[in-house]
Amino acid sequence: MHTVIISKVSESIKMFENFIEKLAKDMKFEARDSVKLKAITFVYAMTIGLLEGHEITLNVLGNFCRKYQGQELEITKQALHQRMEKGELLMNGLFNVFLNETKDKFKVLENIEVLKQFSDIEITDGTTVSLPDKLAGKFKGLGGTNAKAAFKMQTTYSVLKRTFSNLKIYDASTNDTVHNAEIIKELEPNKLYINDLGYFDKEYFSEIDKKNAYFLSRIKSNSTFYKYDDIKKDYEKLDWKDILKSSKNEVDTMVFMKLKSGEMKEVRLVGLRLPEDKINEKRRKINKKQQSSGETMKEREKLMFDWNLMITNVSADKLDPDTLYELYRLRWVIELIFKGLKSSLDFDKVGQAGGSYLMCLLYGKMIIALLCMDIYALCNMAMYLKNKRQVSIQGFLRNFRSIVSYFVSVILNCNDENLLNFYKELEHISIISLYEIRKRKTTEQRLMEKEMPKQVLRLLC
């Protein structure tokens, strides 16, 4: 397995350098003046330099440029800043190239039988990063008591490839559903798309269904669904009391949602009643919140509060309610990644940079995120094949920072010795980042116990 990892790292670096050279030539980045700053040096400073250094200033980045290109390079912070406008175009182009390469990446998670029904499973979520107030003109914050300037990184994570398949940056004030349009552009048949409540949109679900793909989403407490009355020959609003009060612990029924066009779209409503201890815990929290705000919860909201309610177009013969619930729990993986990127790779730190300088830093950080997740995916697969244990994403990202010097050696001189040394360090941090053996099973372990439905097996055979 080590030869695969070494080969993939080597291929990525060569591809990295080739694309930098081509993009730099197309945009004439390397100006013919007294400052002979190479494009590849600029990119390295804006990517691995951000990993090596914990402080982001033009002077620090200039020092990394000299380290990567040679001490004979003389560059002032003013000269480096003048490169930022073209640098933004270079970093943007390189980021898009890497993102497209990631989308074509092979699957690395083949250990869950029930998931083989889908070509991939993608989870979409976002994270917000506050910026200095002076950048409010560039990225509008949420307002009120929040930061005046902030951006939101909307992320789509591939569960089977264990890496990002989409990364976009918006104003923090932008509604999450805006990102749905980006997902719609790239919909693929037989993919399962899992979304948080912020992305809940009936039109979006309808588009997924039209593409012969699948969706899974929790529902909003104010959502309206309908059932068809055979006697009246008409649709009537769903009464949650009829469904939830008459159900013991599980709901699995077909309902209709009304689109803007007036069309009624049939979907599957699935619900699992929460355990009593979880219900009581949630009720204590909401009661405390209501006492401080003076608000009261509607009867319908109280009913829905005790349940995990989702809608999907995945049929019951493919996935039962319990499996759907476990699948939705996979969404928390992306939250762990966000925490790891921020706490270990300083994703949320950009100093006082503004304009093109800021965008160079953001593209650099996203490129590093893509690279680190690719390396993590390979190491995690190697550890699972070797000892049936998986590597913690947060632990891996945290420990990866400690071996950056080996990564830099490979980047600057990709020879066999440096590659082997880097692999040995990767193996070490993978081992110390393994999840501890515990009695309580993880979501993935519970999914591994799910058998492929017989109906699906017959079709596959």
Side-chain angles (χ1 to χ4, degrees):
M1 190 66 196
H2 76 279
T3 55
V4 175
I5 294 177
I6 290 175
S7 175
K8 287 293 179 182
V9 171
S10 178
E11 286 175 14
S12 294
I13 292 170
K14 288 176 182 176
M15 181 185 71
F16 197 65
E17 293 175 343
N18 290 338
F19 281 122
I20 293 171
E21 185 178 352
K22 183 180 183 306
L23 289 167
K25 186 176 180 180
D26 291 344
M27 65 183 58
K28 298 179 180 179
F29 177 88
E30 296 176 13
R32 295 181 179 179
D33 56 21
S34 59
V35 180
K36 301 300 182 181
L37 177 66
K38 295 179 181 179
I40 197 166
T41 303
F42 180 87
V43 171
Y44 284 162
M46 292 293 169
T47 51
I48 58 176
L50 303 183
L51 281 178
E52 280 205 272
H54 288 272
E55 183 182 7
I56 300 173
T57 68
L58 287 169
N59 282 329
V60 170
L61 293 172
N63 287 335
F64 281 123
C65 287
R66 284 188 287 275
K67 175 182 176 180
Y68 303 145
Q69 188 167 320
Q71 293 301 319
E72 69 277 3
L73 175 67
E74 295 183 5
I75 184 167
T76 63
K77 65 178 184 180
Q78 290 81 7
L80 183 57
H81 194 270
Q82 288 172 4
R83 286 287 191 275
M84 292 300 171
E85 192 170 336
K86 282 191 174 181
E88 179 183 350
L89 297 176
L90 176 65
M91 298 297 290
N92 180 28
L94 187 61
F95 165 71
N96 287 323
V97 164
F98 256 75
L99 188 60
N100 288 331
E101 289 292 324
T102 297
K103 292 175 183 176
D104 296 331
K105 185 171 173 285
F106 61 90
K107 295 178 184 177
V108 294
L109 181 64
E110 295 284 0
N111 53 338
I112 302 179
E113 285 295 320
V114 74
L115 300 190
K116 293 181 181 179
Q117 301 178 72
F118 307 100
S119 60
D120 202 354
I121 297 166
E122 293 192 338
I123 303 170
T124 299
D125 207 343
T127 187
T128 301
V129 175
S130 298
L131 297 168
D133 288 348
K134 69 176 186 178
L135 298 177
K138 184 75 175 177
F139 289 106
K140 186 179 178 182
L142 297 171
T145 58
N146 299 291
K148 293 180 181 179
F151 71 85
K152 179 175 283 188
M153 184 177 75
Q154 299 284 11
T155 307
T156 299
Y157 174 77
S158 164
V159 172
L160 300 188
K161 297 177 182 179
R162 288 192 179 275
T163 190
F164 301 122
S165 58
N166 202 333
L167 288 173
K168 293 285 183 182
I169 289 179
Y170 300 88
D171 289 347
S173 58
T174 304
N175 193 291
D176 287 341
T177 54
V178 171
H179 189 61
N180 290 348
E182 294 292 331
I183 302 174
I184 288 172
K185 290 177 187 176
E186 300 179 354
L187 288 176
E188 294 181 21
N190 206 40
K191 269 190 181 181
L192 173 60
Y193 297 86
I194 302 177
N195 299 93
D196 193 13
L197 275 178
Y199 304 85
F200 187 91
D201 180 55
K202 295 175 183 178
E203 310 298 322
Y204 165 63
F205 299 142
S206 178
E207 289 298 320
I208 292 176
D209 190 62
K210 287 177 184 177
K211 291 287 185 178
N212 295 317
Y214 301 96
F215 62 85
L216 175 64
S217 172
R218 286 176 59 203
I219 66 172
K220 291 185 175 181
S221 59
N222 61 352
S223 299
T224 301
F225 294 95
Y226 299 81
K227 61 181 181 180
Y228 187 74
D229 190 315
D230 290 322
I231 298 176
K232 296 180 180 178
K233 303 297 181 183
D234 199 5
Y235 298 94
E236 61 179 30
K237 287 185 180 180
L238 182 70
D239 189 337
W240 291 102
K241 293 179 185 177
D242 291 345
I243 287 189
L244 300 184
K245 281 195 171 182
S246 60
S247 302
K248 291 185 178 180
N249 296 310
E250 184 179 299
V251 170
D252 192 355
T253 187
M254 301 303 293
V255 297
F256 292 87
M257 60 183 187
K258 190 173 185 179
L259 305 180
K260 290 179 181 177
S261 63
E263 177 189 356
M264 289 294 190
K265 189 77 176 178
E266 192 172 29
V267 295
R268 181 181 170 202
L269 173 66
V270 178
L272 286 174
R273 196 172 191 278
L274 296 171
E276 284 301 322
D277 59 332
K278 295 291 183 182
I279 293 175
N280 292 332
E281 183 182 343
K282 288 181 71 175
R283 283 177 180 168
R284 282 194 297 269
K285 288 181 180 179
I286 199 66
N287 288 336
K288 186 176 180 180
K289 184 178 179 181
Q290 287 179 341
Q291 287 173 5
S292 60
S293 65
E295 297 177 356
T296 57
M297 188 182 289
K298 296 178 181 178
E299 182 62 27
R300 141 188 177 137
E301 292 176 330
K302 288 180 181 179
L303 279 172
M304 297 173 73
F305 195 74
D306 297 348
W307 291 77
N308 272 316
L309 294 167
M310 300 173 286
I311 57 167
T312 184
N313 62 338
V314 179
S315 60
D317 61 352
K318 284 180 173 288
L319 296 176
D320 60 36
D322 186 64
T323 305
L324 284 170
Y325 174 65
E326 293 296 346
L327 265 176
Y328 189 81
R329 284 169 58 90
L330 282 177
R331 191 183 59 79
W332 289 103
V333 172
I334 205 168
E335 295 288 347
L336 297 178
I337 294 172
F338 289 152
K339 289 179 181 178
L341 291 177
K342 289 179 178 180
S343 63
S344 303
L345 302 185
D346 294 340
F347 193 88
D348 54 343
K349 294 179 176 63
V350 294
Q352 293 295 315
S356 292
Y357 179 17
L358 170 64
M359 296 310 299
C360 285
L361 293 177
L362 294 184
Y363 286 129
K365 285 173 179 285
M366 290 194 291
I367 289 170
I368 284 296
L370 289 172
L371 282 171
C372 286
M373 288 305 298
D374 269 0
I375 294 171
Y376 162 77
L378 290 168
C379 292
N380 182 67
M381 179 170 64
M383 289 295 107
Y384 183 78
L385 291 174
K386 186 176 182 179
N387 52 31
K388 299 302 178 184
R389 289 174 65 190
Q390 295 188 335
V391 180
S392 159
I393 291 176
Q394 285 182 291
F396 182 85
L397 293 177
R398 179 175 59 253
N399 290 312
F400 186 82
R401 192 74 179 259
S402 68
I403 65 165
V404 169
S405 60
Y406 292 90
F407 188 39
V408 173
S409 296
V410 169
I411 290 284
L412 299 181
N413 189 5
C414 191
N415 58 35
D416 291 343
E417 182 182 355
N418 286 341
L419 279 167
L420 184 58
N421 288 335
F422 181 49
Y423 168 76
K424 288 178 179 177
E425 294 301 317
L426 279 177
E427 185 178 39
H428 172 68
I429 67 166
S430 296
I431 291 171
I432 64 175
S433 301
L434 287 170
Y435 281 113
E436 293 182 4
I437 298 174
R438 56 182 185 177
K439 292 182 180 180
R440 184 181 176 185
K441 295 177 182 177
T442 65
T443 300
E444 284 191 17
Q445 287 172 331
R446 288 193 290 271
L447 283 169
M448 287 179 198
E449 296 174 350
K450 304 288 183 181
E451 295 182 358
M452 183 77 81
K454 292 181 181 179
Q455 301 93 321
V456 177
L457 273 176
R458 283 197 291 268
L459 290 173
L460 293 176
C461 295

